[in-house]
Amino acid sequence: MSNTDDDRDFDEVTAFDGSDIYADDGSVRSDFLMHVGAAIADRDTIYLRQHVAGLHASELGDLLEAIQPEQRLALVLLLGKEFDLAALTEVDEAIRLDIVDHLPNEQIAEAIGEMDSDDAVYILEDLDQEDQEEILAKLPFTERVRLRRSLDYPESTAGRRMQTEFVAVPPFWTVGQTIDYMREDEDLPDSFTQIFVIDPTFKLLGAVDLDRVLRTKRSVKIDAIMRDTSHAIPAEMDQEEAAQLFEQYDLLSAAVVDDNGRLVGVLTIDDVVDVIQEEAEEDFLRMSGVGDEELSDTITDASRSRIPWLFVNSMTACMSASVIGLFDATIQQIVALAILMPIVAGMGGNAGSQTMTVTVRALATRALDTHNAPRIIRREAGVGLLNGLVFGAFIGVVAGLWFQNVHIGGIIAAAMLINMIAAALAGILIPIVLDKSGADPAVSSAVFVTAVTDITGFFSFLGLATWWFHVT
């Protein structure tokens, strides 16, 4: 094939628009990655500016995660000022820190000056205090004050997530004045759905939806059409609780206020969607005992995050083994018990995990509280009893036919019933107790529920077998 044909094929394949970088399965197209990698290797800034610089921040973030680690920094440096720093809010923390650490503070400050405040805070909060101060010092005074105020709030709070750009007017303004103000002021947010009403001290008085303003005559005063903001969010409220308010009341945006009720920012639905996704991922990872591990973490970091709960699990496994050791004589006499033991423990573990998952999620969403806890506990115990009867009978028949021994079948059926009830109770009570004690049930529950079902399963099965064959 001639060079001309190569060039034509290359141009045809790489004529991407934003929606074309993804394959049918949602991953970044392999041919696009290949050509981006080739452009990075060849330092082809023309190609990168044409096909990469214009990508949406989320698309650019996906691209950064998809390319090879050694290509990421090279891509950012080749794009220079045309690299959209907002893409770093879409990538793993390890990738974000690696890139930011290699960028000059002047470039970061310039990019942050063009971002929404919530995205700017997202990047600044991971930097060293010295770098934070140097970058903030290069920003205009008003923006510097806003960002510092957001950074002063604790992590994972509404204050950290809020945008400090909002539209606020006094109650005595007319609709006409408000519209003229929005047309003439150049520092308004890029998009908004609410206008907040404040007094001279910035205390929040109410809010007006934008559509209400557009439907009202110019001469009408704002206080005549404003409504109370009954769902104002305290700046130090946990971001997960704030997300629950959005879900409960179907909010698109909400005012964020300080301890004195003064308006300090606005939380929007796009930020809340990110919070919901992050919290769900965090709970899922913690239930597996891997903390906040990310795919971009190094081998050492990944191993370090998993070791603590693996160690705890090894201790509980030793406890289960010690229970088996109590019945070693019985196991030596009846080999079938050794074959059937994993069935009892495994079924109990799965049942406990099911109940635990439902309970942890209910605690996280505040659906489970002191008022309905007794009813839910009774329900789960009933589910454990019913499932124990069903699977106990099923496994009992299978075991009896397998070993041609009706006694073995009856023993494993009874042990299955006991362990399924214990699994259901452990799956709901352990997360509740951990939550009441201040521990995170998503982190701690799994290993303890597994320990309970293993110990109960082994003890009930082997204990019943020892007793039965002793008395008969």
Side-chain angles (χ1 to χ4, degrees), residues 25-334:
D25 62 357
S27 62
V28 180
R29 286 173 52 173
S30 58
D31 53 351
F32 184 53
L33 292 176
M34 178 184 67
H35 291 301
V36 169
I40 293 173
D42 296 338
R43 303 183 65 81
D44 186 354
T45 56
I46 295 177
Y47 175 86
L48 295 177
R49 287 170 182 168
Q50 181 179 357
H51 298 290
V52 177
L55 293 176
H56 187 275
S58 63
E59 296 169 342
L60 186 53
D62 288 341
L63 176 62
L64 287 172
E65 291 186 332
I67 61 179
Q68 297 299 317
E70 62 272 12
Q71 296 176 327
R72 292 168 184 151
L73 183 60
L75 173 62
V76 174
L77 295 178
L78 286 170
L79 288 176
K81 293 183 178 180
E82 294 189 43
F83 174 74
D84 185 0
L85 207 68
L88 298 186
T89 65
E90 307 288 341
V91 300
D92 290 349
E93 181 180 359
I95 297 176
R96 180 167 60 253
L97 289 176
D98 180 59
I99 292 175
V100 170
D101 285 344
H102 288 85
L103 294 179
N105 287 339
E106 292 79 7
Q107 182 178 346
I108 298 175
E110 183 177 350
I112 281 178
E114 299 175 357
M115 289 184 185
D116 290 337
S117 58
D118 54 334
D119 290 337
V121 169
Y122 197 81
I123 292 175
L124 286 171
E125 65 183 356
D126 290 329
L127 301 179
D128 295 335
Q129 185 68 30
E130 182 179 347
D131 289 328
Q132 277 188 16
E133 292 301 323
E134 183 178 343
I135 292 170
L136 289 171
K138 300 179 183 298
L139 299 176
F141 175 77
T142 302
E143 189 165 353
R144 181 164 66 245
V145 170
R146 287 177 177 176
L147 293 177
R148 276 186 173 147
R149 180 170 55 189
S150 294
L151 289 168
D152 285 341
Y153 291 111
E155 291 187 27
S156 301
T157 61
R160 279 288 183 96
R161 284 289 190 179
M162 69 183 181
Q163 292 183 17
T164 54
E165 302 90 359
F166 51 82
V167 180
V169 299
F172 54 82
W173 272 19
T174 64
V175 169
Q177 287 176 293
T178 302
I179 292 175
D180 292 340
Y181 162 69
M182 290 188 292
R183 287 173 176 168
E184 297 170 2
D185 195 289
E186 297 180 354
D187 294 328
L188 297 181
D190 291 336
S191 61
F192 56 94
T193 59
Q194 281 184 311
I195 299 171
F196 298 105
V197 185
I198 56 173
D199 68 9
T201 65
F202 259 75
K203 187 172 182 179
L204 182 65
L205 301 177
V208 183
D209 292 329
L210 199 56
D211 63 310
R212 184 74 185 276
V213 173
L214 297 176
R215 291 190 177 105
T216 306
K217 294 183 180 298
R218 289 179 59 89
S219 59
V220 177
K221 288 190 175 182
I222 290 295
D223 60 1
I225 61 172
M226 76 176 186
R227 55 176 173 78
D228 293 335
T229 51
S230 55
H231 308 302
I233 295 175
E236 297 199 5
M237 175 183 282
D238 184 86
Q239 62 181 15
E240 191 170 6
E241 294 181 28
Q244 289 167 4
L245 286 178
F246 270 71
E247 181 181 6
Q248 182 176 0
Y249 296 106
D250 297 327
L251 304 177
L252 293 177
S253 62
V256 180
V257 296
D258 63 13
D259 293 337
N260 297 315
R262 292 176 299 189
L263 181 65
V264 293
V266 58
L267 198 59
T268 56
I269 188 63
D270 60 318
D271 300 316
V272 171
V273 169
D274 291 339
V275 168
I276 293 172
Q277 181 178 356
E278 287 177 11
E279 294 290 345
E281 291 176 354
E282 183 179 305
D283 288 347
F284 179 79
L285 291 172
R286 286 183 173 181
M287 287 179 67
S288 303
V290 295
D292 57 355
E293 180 184 323
E294 296 175 334
L295 290 178
S296 58
D297 287 348
T298 63
I299 294 175
T300 304
D301 291 336
S303 176
R304 187 185 299 116
S305 72
R306 301 182 191 185
I307 284 176
W309 286 107
L310 286 176
F311 178 77
V312 174
N313 188 245
S314 68
M315 296 296 99
T316 59
C318 289
M319 294 172 60
S320 301
S322 66
V323 171
I324 297 174
L326 296 174
F327 304 97
D328 57 345
T330 305
I331 296 174
Q332 290 176 12
Q333 295 177 10
I334 309 171

Side-chain angles (χ1 to χ4, degrees), residues 340-352 416 419-420 453-454 458:
L340 296 173
M341 278 192 307
I343 298 177
V344 180
M347 289 293 293
N350 287 334
M416 184 74 74
N419 203 26
M420 293 290 270
T453 55
D454 284 352
F458 292 143

